Structure formats: structure tokens, C-alpha cells
């Protein structure tokens, strides 16, 4: 790493808190070195209170860009000069790009989900989707799938604060993508969930059910809801195969885990920073193989 640092090297980084566990610096620096980009990527633990100083510093030091994690994805929007359509609809940014002092806020989470599906030969255009969860990730998936041409999206979420936010997001999506039918339902409405799943092409779990400490749980318990022509996806990447995916696979469904989404959203950010393609297969082998 230190052998390629020069006086011309530009900084990029991950901001949020906590970030000490992040694998992003290793992944991005490997790709920058491999493709001979004069960039260096570091992780910066930044609180909401310190975000103004961080943005001042990023401008002062002419950062090329930054990835953003919690709790800053919403807060950082007010510092952007430009927001992409996806970032506006989602109401959050996770990738910031600096072009000669003009900052553009992007959200690559949903793009990562869609690119992961395409990597498994699944297209969302014209498809009927059931999305479990309406938090940040669920919103990103819903928005991007609508922008990519999904025909119908049914969002199921508990009756909490995210439920009302999901209804607002759905209304905004309808205005932006009038050809997409999008509805929001109570996750406890098992009758409607069963009906929508019976007609769905793709099921996406964006909840935390299946992640530690809930690794033995699945958001769908009734295995009769799984059909061989239903594609079942999960954005969770640890464990690689969630309880949901195991049940779906055992009942003949095509299943897609969350590791690919993680890699693909990073690949999208890499392309925004460099204009080049990340060596995705090498990254998967080097950083995401057990």
C-alpha cells in the first residue's frame, strides 16, 4: 500500500459509526492498486455531530468520494449539490462523488440488489415482486426495482414507523414510475401475503430475520408458499444461506443470497469513482470466499 502512495494520491473513504469492522478499505485499495488508480481508501469513524467537520475536511483535502454507512445516510443529503433520482426517492445516500467541488449523492444499495439478480440471470422488468421489510435496505430495493421496470411491487412491513414511511415512498414511486403498481401491507396480514406470493415472481427479504441472533428463524414459515417458479432472495450475507433460503431451496425455489448484492453495490460505487469496472470475480474470490 505505502509503495504506491504519492503526492498526487487522492483520498476516498467510508464514513459512519462504527466502521472499524469494515472490509471496504481492503476491497477498494486492492482494486485501485490492481487497476492502477492513484487513490487510497480509509475508514473514518464519524458521528452525526462531527459530520459538518468531516464534509469541510473532505472539501479541503479534495476527496474523490466517500461511502456512507449508518447513522449518516440521511444526514449527509443536505451537503449534496446533486441527488440522483434513486437517492431522492430512497431518502438516503451511501455513495458520494466529488467532481471539481460538486458533490453528487448516490444510493447503490438497490442497484447492487438488481445487479446481483442479473448476475444470476434474473431480470426484474415486468416482474411481480413481494418485498419483506421497509427499512433503509427495503426502500432501496423497492425504489430501484421500480426504476428498473418491475410491474408490481407488494411491500410487507410491521405496523411501525417504517410502515408510514413506506406508504409515502410508495406514493412518490407512483409519481416517478407510474407504470409500476406498488402497494404496502401489514406483514401480519397472512391472507394477503399468501395471495401476493402465489402470484409473485420474486420474493425479497430485507428484514433482519435470519441474521444473528435470529439465524434459526425465517420470515416465511409456511413452506407451502414456496413454488418452483418463485425466485427467493435475501439481502443478508452472514450467514451466507439463511433459514429462509434453505427452506425455499428444499422446496425447489431458485435462491439468491446477499453476498452478491454486497459486492455489486461496491462495484457500482467503484464505477462511479473511476468510470471503470471493478474486477468482481476476483473480489468475490479474494474477499468473500469462506
Amino acid at each position: 500500500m505505502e509503495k504506491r502512495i504519492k503526492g498526487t494520491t487522492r483520498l476516498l473513504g467510508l464514513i459512519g459509526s462504527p466502521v472499524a469492522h469494515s472490509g471496504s478499505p481492503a476491497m477498494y485499495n486492492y482494486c485501485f492498486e490492481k487497476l492502477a488508480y492513484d487513490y487510497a481508501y480509509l475508514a473514518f469513524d464519524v458521528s452525526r455531530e462531527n459530520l459538518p467537520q468531516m464534509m469541510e475536511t473532505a472539501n479541503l483535502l479534495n476527496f474523490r468520494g466517500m461511502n456512507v454507512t449508518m447513522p449518516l445516510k440521511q444526514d449527509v443529503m443536505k451537503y449534496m449539490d446533486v441527488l440522483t433520482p434513486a437517492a431522492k426517492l430512497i431518502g438516503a445516500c451511501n455513495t458520494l462523488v466529488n467532481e471539481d467541488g460538486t458533490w453528487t449523492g448516490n444510493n447503490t444499495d438497490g442497484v447492487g440488489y438488481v445487479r446481483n439478480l442479473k448476475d444470476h440471470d434474473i431480470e426484474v422488468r415486468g416482474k411481480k415482486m413481494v418485498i419483506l421489510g421497509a427499512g433503509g435496505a427495503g426502500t432501496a430495493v423497492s425504489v430501484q426495482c421500480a426504476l428498473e421496470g418491475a410491474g408490481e411491487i407488494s411491500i410487507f412491513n410491521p405496523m411501525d414507523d417504517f410502515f408510514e414511511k413506506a406508504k409515502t415512498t410508495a406514493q412518490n414511486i407512483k409519481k416517478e414510475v407510474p407504470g409500476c403498481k406498488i402497494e404496502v401491507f401489514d406483514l401480519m396480514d397472512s391472507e394477503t401475503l399468501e395471495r401476493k406470493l402465489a402470484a409473485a415472481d420474486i420474493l425479497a427479504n430485507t428484514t433482519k430475520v435470519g441474521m444473528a441472533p435470529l439465524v434459526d428463524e425465517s420470515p416465511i414459515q409456511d413452506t407451502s408458499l414456496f413454488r418452483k417458479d418463485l425466485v427467493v432472495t435475501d439481502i443478508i450475507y452472514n450467514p451466507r444461506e439463511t433459514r429462509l433460503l434453505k427452506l425455499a431451496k428444499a422446496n425447489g425455489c431458485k435462491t439468491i443470497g446477499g453476498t452478491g448484492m454486497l459486492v455489486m453495490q461496491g462495484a457500482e460505487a467503484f464505477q462511479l469513482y473511476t468510470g471503470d469496472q471493478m474486477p468482481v470475480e476476483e473480489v468475490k474470490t479474494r474477499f468473500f470466499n469462506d
Side-chain angles (χ1 to χ4, degrees), residues 12 27-28 31-32 41 64 66-67 84-86 94-97 104-116 118 144 147-148 259-280 283:
L12 297 99
M27 180 181 75
Y28 282 109
C31 294
F32 291 148
Y41 189 106
R64 171 59 180 142
M66 294 185 288
N67 292 114
T84 63
N94 76 339
T95 302
L96 318 179
V97 181
T104 299
N106 306 264
N107 194 304
T108 67
D109 284 335
V111 176
Y113 175 81
V114 172
R115 285 184 62 172
N116 188 31
K118 290 180 179 179
Q144 193 63 41
L147 292 173
E148 296 275 348
T259 300
M261 174 180 169
L262 179 67
V263 175
M264 291 301 186
Q265 65 89 16
E268 182 69 15
F270 184 86
Q271 189 169 3
L272 289 170
Y273 297 143
T274 66
D276 210 342
Q277 298 291 324
M278 174 186 278
V280 169
V283 167

Side-chain angles (χ1 to χ4, degrees), residues 1-284:
M1 173 72 174
E2 67 278 3
K3 293 179 182 178
R4 68 181 185 87
I5 299 297
K6 300 178 291 187
T8 56
T9 303
R10 289 185 71 182
L11 276 172
L12 297 99
L14 171 69
I15 61 172
S17 186
V19 294
H21 65 286
S22 175
S24 293
M27 180 181 75
Y28 282 109
N29 284 316
Y30 170 80
C31 294
F32 291 148
E33 184 170 10
K34 182 172 181 61
L35 298 183
Y37 281 97
D38 192 16
Y39 293 155
Y41 189 106
L42 299 170
F44 302 93
D45 197 295
V46 178
S47 66
R48 281 178 168 152
E49 292 74 21
N50 293 331
L51 181 58
Q53 294 96 312
M54 181 67 233
M55 292 308 301
E56 288 179 13
T57 300
N59 279 305
L60 178 65
L61 300 182
N62 193 29
F63 271 53
R64 171 59 180 142
M66 294 185 288
N67 292 114
V68 187
T69 189
M70 297 301 291
L72 304 179
K73 289 186 176 185
Q74 291 81 36
D75 299 59
V76 79
M77 293 180 71
K78 64 185 177 183
Y79 297 96
M80 296 298 100
D81 301 296
V82 180
L83 291 170
T84 63
K88 286 181 183 178
L89 284 171
I90 295 165
C93 298
N94 76 339
T95 302
L96 318 179
V97 181
N98 177 16
E99 295 283 0
D100 300 321
T102 298
W103 286 88
T104 299
N106 306 264
N107 194 304
T108 67
D109 284 335
V111 176
Y113 175 81
V114 172
R115 285 184 62 172
N116 188 31
L117 262 59
K118 290 180 179 179
D119 198 41
H120 289 82
D121 300 317
I122 303 297
E123 294 286 340
V124 301
R125 180 168 296 278
K127 299 296 177 59
K128 293 182 178 181
M129 302 185 64
V130 170
I131 298 176
L132 307 179
T139 301
V141 169
S142 300
V143 166
Q144 193 63 41
C145 288
L147 292 173
E148 296 275 348
E152 181 177 320
I153 298 175
S154 300
I155 302 168
F156 287 83
N157 194 78
M159 299 291 286
D160 56 17
D161 291 342
F162 286 118
F163 187 88
E164 292 304 317
K165 180 183 176 185
K167 289 170 65 176
T168 300
T169 300
Q171 291 299 321
N172 292 335
I173 290 174
K174 287 177 183 178
K175 294 175 185 176
E176 187 74 21
V177 192
C180 179
K181 180 182 178 182
I182 183 164
E183 298 175 287
V184 182
F185 302 98
D186 181 2
L187 185 58
M188 300 304 293
D189 184 353
S190 56
E191 183 177 331
T192 301
L193 178 58
E194 181 177 348
R195 175 167 54 84
K196 289 295 184 180
L197 271 177
D201 301 297
I202 301 169
L203 167 66
N205 176 43
T206 73
T207 74
K208 294 181 180 179
V209 179
M211 184 188 301
L214 306 174
V215 292
D216 294 324
E217 297 184 22
S218 168
I220 302 292
Q221 299 289 342
D222 184 356
T223 57
S224 69
L225 299 178
F226 296 123
R227 318 179 318 270
K228 290 184 178 180
D229 57 344
L230 177 66
V231 177
V232 180
T233 71
D234 205 321
I235 71 164
I236 294 170
Y237 56 87
N238 186 16
R240 297 290 178 85
E241 188 175 49
T242 59
R243 174 72 173 161
L244 171 68
L245 296 185
K246 289 177 180 177
L247 291 173
K249 182 186 290 185
N251 285 271
C253 297
K254 180 180 178 70
T255 60
I256 303 173
T259 300
M261 174 180 169
L262 179 67
V263 175
M264 291 301 186
Q265 65 89 16
E268 182 69 15
F270 184 86
Q271 189 169 3
L272 289 170
Y273 297 143
T274 66
D276 210 342
Q277 298 291 324
M278 174 186 278
V280 169
E281 294 307 317
E282 289 186 45
V283 167
K284 287 181 181 179

